[in-house]
Amino acid sequence: MSVKAALLATLLAAASAGLAQAQERVVNIYNWSDYIDPAILEAFTKETGIKTVYDVYDSNEILENKMLTGGSGYDIVVPTADFMARQIAAGVYQPLDKAKLPNLSNMWDEIMKRAAQYDPGNKYAVPYMWGTDGIGYNVKKVNEILGEGKRPGLEVIFDPAVAAKFKDCGIYVFDSPRDVMGAALHYLGLSPESKSPDDLAKVEALLTATRPNIRKFHSSEYISALANGDICIAMGYSGDMLQARNRAAEANAGVEVDYSIPSQGAQVWIDSMVIPKDAPHVEEAHIFLNYMMRPDVAAKASEYVFYANANKASQAVMSKEVLEDPAVYPDAELFAKLYTVTAWDAKTQRLATRIWTKVITGQ
Amino acid sequence: MQRAISAVTRRLVILIPYGWLLFFFLIPFLIVLRISMSTSAVAMPPYTPVFDWSEGWARIRSALSELSFDNYVWLAGDPLYLNAYLSSLWIALVSTALTLLIAYPMAYGMAKAPTTLRPTLVMLVILPFWTSFLIRVYAWIGILKPEGLFNQFLLSMGVIREPLIILNTNWAIYIGIVYCYLPFMVLPLYSALEKMDHSLTEAALDLGCTPIQAFWRVTFPLSLPGVIAGCLLVFIPAVGEFVIPDLLGGSETLMIGRTLWNEFNGNRDWPVSSAVAVVLLLLLVVPIMLFQTAQARAERAEREGR
């Protein structure tokens, strides 16, 4: 009899645990690795009682493949804007319920305006962090070659005569045709949005001329290559360059890395939080988004990842170290020169990929 | 009765590998084949037509009629794909040959080692698998880079004055593939050589062969099944290798894995990328099947000839 009672008690306990689990509120977040301060997630759970499940990815492609297949089970994902625009067109995300997001009033109109180019009317996305495409460099080597205190611009990649000076100490360029070809168009004085085959042919000529100076096209290896002092110049995302800067400083092996937003102007990337169409916890996702837009939380997020955020109100409470770093928050003059590019249509994309392959492999 | 039961179990046992092939090879292949005959679209999933079984047979039939071989025609139109296939096959071929050259003496030595020592040697060959494949490839970056261990060693020995540029060249890819796939070559060779009857070599020597002749006339032909198995185990994955060329190779190396990646993630064209994958599969499977049928026929002819 007692055995039976014990069994029954266990069963009841298990059942009630299951019930509690069903009532427990969670939000499943799929974000870039190292992209949020764990303390923010803890504080969020403490304040709202909503648990967070946090998974990470390290490339937009991985996220995109998961989103296009559907049924991912995530409530919040954080794509980069040009990828996001295409995914919105494919019907991957659901529109935000703005009545549940009063903190939208804290957002930075300049960034929202740029984000609206990918997400008309800011219907789907809450911008999280933004940054630039620019030049990460080995400070000592650049001082030797370009002169003391010079900050390299796009010429170290696109002007074959300048790039040749860095050939031997090594140039890496990120393997992202949209970003590099957009920058090349901008460098040539053409619109970075141009889809004209003639303009793309000019880009091909420019890239082919400087190709011999570039050691490798790769989208992540440049971080460690810069930090280890294996190369002098890398063109890539500001976030990666700042990571390389930190790693070099931590290693303390005599390598100093810095990041320069090209004086010619730079492409802005924006990572936004969006809710997949088939998200299981839509209500909780909105609460989370609203929480992330609180000025103190946004400031804390920026202080952790060292990126500029899209929250104007947070700048009042943010540490000066982040706010006054020109590699993170460019000054007004440079800010005015930042541009955005939208995703190519399938036909232009195919042409561009083909040109890119031809430039890189010679085939 | 007993016999009937054993016949049934035998059938069941045969069914398991066939079921495995059906679920993990044939069905995925058919899915890829079907995507390769679709058209890419901005949608979820990113291609049309999509088969919706709930919409009835008529809808399925019209979806079937939308499938076409256009993507295969596209592949034939741009030399890029052909060049990528050829360069992948070439890199795989060179790597397989190098692996065989290194693995054969190793396997031979292992097979000739004292019986008590052999399990330890086999263990040592498998040991690298205990570390993540990716970490081992990354380690090669540290070894091969201009100021890496290998160059430091050669410089300090006075063999070279300038560091060799190996990283980001095809040589780095060969080194990476040979290193990573070596166990897959050594193990089948070892198992073929270990089973070999030693008295056959002794007989060849007694009958006047030099040791080298005895090796080529007796040992090597008898180890051929191991050589073939090892070469296939190295060659097939090497053709589609993506990680090693990506990390160790230069940007100018064109391989089919990279081309697939570009189509899938760059152009977001799942159908063309599926077509590339199907052609790659046919390129690998058809010659192997032809080879197997030829071999089976030769064996049968030999048996009947006796």
Side-chain angles (χ1 to χ4, degrees):
Chain A
M1 188 63 197
S2 70
V3 174
K4 227 179 205 174
L7 275 178
L8 201 69
T10 323
L11 210 69
L12 275 174
S16 63
L19 216 63
Q21 209 152 39
Q23 283 168 348
E24 197 168 68
R25 305 178 75 188
V26 288
V27 56
N28 299 323
I29 304 160
Y30 195 40
N31 198 354
W32 295 83
S33 45
D34 259 334
Y35 210 26
I36 206 163
D37 186 348
I40 292 180
L41 297 178
E42 277 166 36
F44 172 74
T45 305
K46 207 179 243 174
E47 215 165 289
T48 60
I50 299 172
K51 275 199 172 175
T52 56
V53 177
Y54 191 74
D55 292 338
V56 298
Y57 53 86
D58 59 3
S59 82
N60 268 307
E61 284 81 12
I62 291 178
L63 171 67
E64 176 159 280
N65 294 335
K66 219 167 225 176
M67 287 298 115
L68 288 176
T69 319
S72 64
Y74 291 111
D75 303 307
I76 300 275
V77 298
V78 194
T80 307
D82 50 335
F83 280 81
M84 181 188 75
R86 240 179 344 242
Q87 291 153 12
I88 289 175
V92 170
Y93 302 119
Q94 56 175 287
L96 300 169
D97 183 351
K98 291 193 179 173
K100 290 179 185 156
L101 302 171
N103 284 343
L104 272 173
S105 62
N106 296 329
M107 299 303 279
W108 189 357
D109 54 345
E110 284 290 332
I111 299 298
M112 293 305 270
K113 203 170 72 195
R114 286 178 163 84
Q117 291 182 307
Y118 304 96
D119 168 24
N122 299 109
K123 259 170 68 182
Y124 291 88
V126 172
Y128 176 51
M129 297 286 169
W130 64 274
T132 44
D133 289 357
I135 309 293
Y137 61 102
N138 184 313
V139 176
K140 204 175 109 199
K141 290 281 172 57
V142 166
N143 281 344
E144 271 171 27
I145 293 170
L146 287 183
E148 202 64 35
K150 279 268 192 188
R151 295 176 78 82
L154 291 176
E155 70 283 352
V156 296
I157 308 289
F158 295 134
D159 184 342
V162 181
K165 295 183 194 165
F166 291 98
K167 185 185 176 185
D168 289 336
C169 75
I171 303 176
Y172 273 28
V173 171
F174 58 161
D175 188 2
S176 172
R178 184 67 191 103
D179 297 75
V180 178
M181 291 172 84
L185 283 163
H186 182 74
Y187 180 78
L188 289 170
L190 303 163
S191 160
E193 287 279 35
S194 174
K195 293 175 175 63
S196 120
D198 288 344
D199 289 354
L200 293 178
K202 285 178 197 155
V203 166
E204 181 181 344
L206 180 75
L207 291 174
T208 310
T210 196
R211 171 70 184 95
N213 300 315
I214 295 166
R215 192 179 288 173
K216 191 164 186 177
F217 291 84
H218 197 277
S219 289
S220 57
E221 239 176 70
Y222 60 84
I223 305 175
S224 52
L226 260 185
N228 294 342
D230 297 341
I231 57 170
C232 287
I233 298 277
M235 180 181 183
Y237 304 109
S238 54
D240 289 345
M241 301 306 176
L242 297 173
Q243 207 178 321
R245 186 174 77 177
N246 290 348
R247 277 200 215 168
E250 275 165 24
N252 204 12
V255 178
E256 191 192 341
V257 173
D258 206 349
Y259 172 69
S260 150
I261 301 176
S263 57
Q264 293 92 339
Q267 185 186 319
V268 173
W269 54 259
I270 305 171
D271 290 340
S272 301
M273 297 192 163
V274 281
I275 307 177
K277 190 163 257 172
D278 51 8
H281 311 101
V282 178
E283 178 68 29
E284 287 79 359
H286 279 90
I287 298 173
F288 181 77
L289 287 179
N290 200 45
Y291 181 82
M292 292 304 291
M293 284 187 287
R294 245 171 52 184
D296 59 317
V297 176
K300 206 170 166 195
S302 273
E303 284 161 11
Y304 179 81
V305 296
F306 240 84
Y307 294 164
N309 64 39
N311 197 303
K312 185 79 182 168
S314 75
Q315 293 177 14
V317 289
M318 193 185 298
S319 125
K320 288 273 175 287
E321 198 197 343
V322 182
L323 196 61
E324 285 170 7
D325 189 332
V328 180
Y329 280 95
D331 58 31
E333 189 199 342
L334 202 48
F335 188 84
K337 283 197 216 164
L338 301 182
Y339 61 86
T340 51
V341 296
T342 45
W344 280 316
D345 56 283
K347 209 174 126 200
T348 315
Q349 175 75 54
R350 182 161 278 292
L351 174 66
T353 307
R354 191 65 191 83
I355 290 176
W356 189 246
T357 308
K358 201 164 160 192
V359 167
I360 291 181
T361 65
Q363 302 266 4
Chain B
M1 188 62 194
Q2 193 97 44
R3 197 183 290 165
I5 290 173
S6 82
V8 168
T9 21
R10 206 179 308 142
R11 288 251 165 85
L12 276 177
V13 168
I14 295 173
L15 265 182
I16 293 170
Y18 275 107
W20 178 276
L21 273 180
L22 180 75
F23 279 107
F24 295 108
F25 179 75
L26 195 61
I27 291 179
F29 173 74
L30 288 177
I31 293 172
V32 173
L33 182 69
R34 164 239 176 298
I35 297 177
S36 78
M37 297 169 74
S38 319
T39 320
S40 75
V42 181
M44 205 179 139
Y47 49 81
T48 59
V50 176
F51 293 93
D52 189 343
W53 299 104
S54 63
E55 284 182 33
W57 180 236
R59 180 73 196 88
I60 300 274
R61 260 222 314 252
S62 84
L64 271 177
S65 69
E66 282 173 47
L67 296 179
S68 79
F69 284 100
D70 288 354
N71 292 322
Y72 293 92
V73 178
W74 168 266
L75 292 192
D78 191 335
L80 169 76
Y81 303 101
L82 181 66
N83 288 337
Y85 284 121
L86 290 178
S87 123
S88 293
L89 290 172
W90 175 248
I91 287 177
L93 200 71
V94 173
S95 315
T96 310
L98 291 174
T99 315
L100 182 63
L101 277 179
I102 296 173
Y104 206 98
M106 276 176 75
Y108 193 82
M110 282 165 66
K112 290 276 176 288
T115 333
T116 46
L117 206 60
R118 286 181 202 169
T120 321
L121 292 174
V122 171
M123 196 65 210
L124 286 175
V125 170
I126 304 172
L127 204 64
F129 286 125
W130 289 8
T131 318
S132 154
F133 164 76
L134 206 56
I135 290 175
R136 285 182 284 135
V137 176
Y138 266 109
W140 275 103
I141 295 183
I143 296 173
L144 295 178
K145 67 183 185 181
E147 55 285 2
L149 289 174
F150 183 62
N151 273 314
Q152 298 282 358
F153 173 73
L154 291 183
L155 284 169
S156 67
M157 296 291 285
V159 183
I160 49 169
R161 291 228 187 97
E162 290 270 303
L164 298 173
I165 303 293
I166 305 173
L167 190 65
N168 299 334
T169 66
N170 278 2
W171 279 108
I173 301 181
Y174 297 141
I175 292 172
I177 293 180
V178 168
Y179 166 75
C180 288
Y181 290 105
L182 197 62
F184 296 107
M185 185 70 93
V186 171
L187 293 178
L189 282 175
Y190 167 73
S191 81
L193 288 168
E194 194 214 12
K195 276 188 307 212
M196 222 174 60
D197 190 348
H198 200 61
S199 53
L200 292 172
T201 330
E202 281 167 8
L205 291 173
D206 286 348
L207 293 172
C209 271
T210 62
I212 293 174
Q213 279 175 326
F215 173 79
W216 285 114
R217 291 189 166 192
V218 180
T219 313
F220 189 74
L222 283 173
S223 70
L224 260 184
V227 172
I228 292 169
C231 285
L232 288 180
L233 281 176
V234 174
F235 182 77
I236 293 171
V239 173
E241 186 54 61
F242 177 74
V243 175
I244 298 172
D246 184 54
L247 291 177
L248 299 179
S251 304
E252 64 283 342
T253 307
L254 186 67
M255 279 188 81
I256 205 65
R258 179 73 221 180
T259 311
L260 250 165
W261 194 97
N262 273 345
E263 288 298 340
F264 200 84
N265 290 318
N267 292 341
R268 250 155 253 92
D269 198 331
W270 291 20
V272 165
S273 131
S274 304
V276 173
V278 169
V279 171
L280 177 64
L281 189 79
L282 294 179
L283 221 59
L284 291 176
V285 168
V286 170
I288 290 166
M289 275 170 59
L290 289 178
F291 173 76
Q292 287 232 322
T293 5
Q295 218 185 15
R297 197 175 304 144
E299 264 173 32
R300 209 179 311 130
E302 202 175 303
R303 235 179 295 133
E304 278 160 11
R306 267 180 202 163

